Amino acid sequence: MLFQPILRRTALTLFVGLALSGFAQAQKVADIKKAGVLKVGAQVAQVPWGFSDKGGKLTGYDIEFAEMLAKDLGVKPEFTPVTVANRTAALLTGQVDVLAAVVTILPDRQKVVLFSRPYSYLETVLIGKVSLPPMKGYGDLKGLRIGVPRGSVQDSSVTQAKTGATIQRFDDDAAAVQALLSGQVDLAGAANSQLGPIAQVAGAGKYEVKLVVARGFQGATVRPGEREWVGYINDFIGRKIASGELGALYKKWIGQEMDKALPASGEGEGALPLVVTK
């Protein structure tokens, strides 16, 4: 799930060793401009972040973000498909210049790579019909039926809160969302990125986020020590937030207004996941 560290300790040790040994040279902005290409590691089968549309064109939030970054640099983007399992290795071994691959900023990861300031975020939420009363906390869930992915952040949070709700557990986010659409449950625990796909199926304006459980921030990821490069990306993100372009991109793909008050750095505790509802 979103807030569980993905990298095993052995992998961390290997990646740190690669980074410290200088296996991949530090990337400079001038090098990218000279090459005329920005090599981006991105997930390509993860709607709405990176995927192929009906015409076979690679698109999605991370893809368009990377295209904006490449345009800002005056170069062309070149995408390398990566997965959760291999994306860090692809970066540290120099296969790509940057990761825009739904990489949530976590403490263990901060020890291995250098994160930009957040350019997106994923919220663990409860989604329900607009017609349901507004919800401010777990106390408002009493008597409702809640579908959650088994073992997820939503599952543990709602269970521990002892809300008086009936909890129905499913194998994954998709199954919980389907239960919501079929009327089997009143609320579905999912990521806020599910709101757009739900609107496509059920129609716009019928479902909304009723309660935010937690929030995790995603940063563009570069190799350790690449201060100039991450500084450029940080400045780029700041400019795109101020202009509203990044917010428009978030609205387009995630289906919600972007919170402009994002952490100004991807380093330190300020960019780590937040528990919103306790």
Side-chain angles (χ1 to χ4, degrees):
M1 283 302 296
L2 177 63
F3 305 121
Q4 295 174 338
I6 301 299
L7 299 176
R8 292 188 174 90
R9 187 168 299 176
T10 53
L12 284 170
T13 302
L14 171 62
F15 293 156
V16 170
L18 286 171
L20 294 179
S21 67
F23 190 84
Q25 295 296 315
Q27 181 70 66
K28 295 181 179 179
V29 175
D31 297 332
I32 297 173
K33 290 184 176 181
K34 183 178 180 180
V37 174
L38 175 64
K39 297 179 180 179
V40 182
Q43 295 196 59
V44 298
Q46 184 78 309
V47 180
W49 307 96
F51 64 100
S52 294
D53 63 18
K54 293 180 180 179
K57 182 181 181 297
L58 189 60
T59 190
Y61 183 87
D62 277 345
I63 303 302
E64 289 200 29
F65 167 80
E67 289 173 343
M68 287 170 58
L69 177 58
K71 183 178 180 180
D72 197 74
L73 286 160
V75 301
K76 295 181 179 180
E78 178 182 285
F79 293 99
T80 296
V82 297
T83 65
V84 171
N86 69 15
R87 61 191 176 189
T88 303
L91 175 69
L92 295 182
T93 55
Q95 296 176 51
V96 298
D97 302 318
V98 63
L99 293 176
V102 207
V103 188
T104 297
I105 302 171
L106 298 172
D108 283 349
R109 292 174 180 169
Q110 288 178 327
K111 298 174 184 178
V112 179
V113 298
L114 187 58
F115 283 101
S116 74
R117 62 185 293 177
Y119 69 95
S120 69
Y121 55 91
L122 266 175
E123 290 180 331
T124 304
V125 300
L126 297 180
I127 298 173
K129 288 185 176 180
V130 172
S131 58
L132 284 175
M135 298 174 187
K136 297 182 179 179
Y138 288 130
D140 297 321
L141 303 180
K142 186 176 181 180
L144 296 177
R145 302 165 299 165
I146 305 176
V148 296
R150 186 177 289 102
S152 65
V153 173
Q154 305 95 301
D155 186 355
S156 60
S157 298
V158 174
T159 300
Q160 292 172 14
K162 299 179 180 179
T163 60
T166 299
I167 303 173
Q168 297 184 36
R169 296 175 174 84
F170 299 89
D171 289 337
D172 52 32
D173 284 21
V177 168
Q178 184 56 46
L180 173 68
L181 295 175
S182 67
Q184 186 178 344
V185 297
D186 303 304
L187 297 167
N192 63 325
S193 57
Q194 291 284 346
L195 201 58
I198 287 174
Q200 292 180 4
V201 174
K206 294 183 179 181
Y207 291 86
E208 66 182 2
V209 171
K210 307 302 294 190
L211 194 66
V212 177
V213 176
R215 173 184 285 190
F217 301 101
Q218 285 76 54
T221 313
V222 305
R223 290 182 285 276
E226 296 186 340
R227 291 286 171 183
E228 181 201 13
W229 182 207
V230 82
Y232 184 97
I233 298 173
N234 284 340
D235 176 71
F236 164 78
I237 293 171
R239 285 187 280 113
K240 295 306 177 183
I241 290 176
S243 70
E245 292 173 83
L246 202 57
L249 196 64
Y250 194 83
K251 176 71 172 180
K252 173 182 177 180
W253 289 109
I254 310 303
Q256 287 183 278
E257 299 294 335
M258 172 179 264
D259 185 350
K260 291 185 178 181
L262 300 181
S265 171
E267 301 177 69
E269 295 184 358
L272 298 181
L274 300 173
V275 175
V276 178
T277 301
K278 299 182 179 179

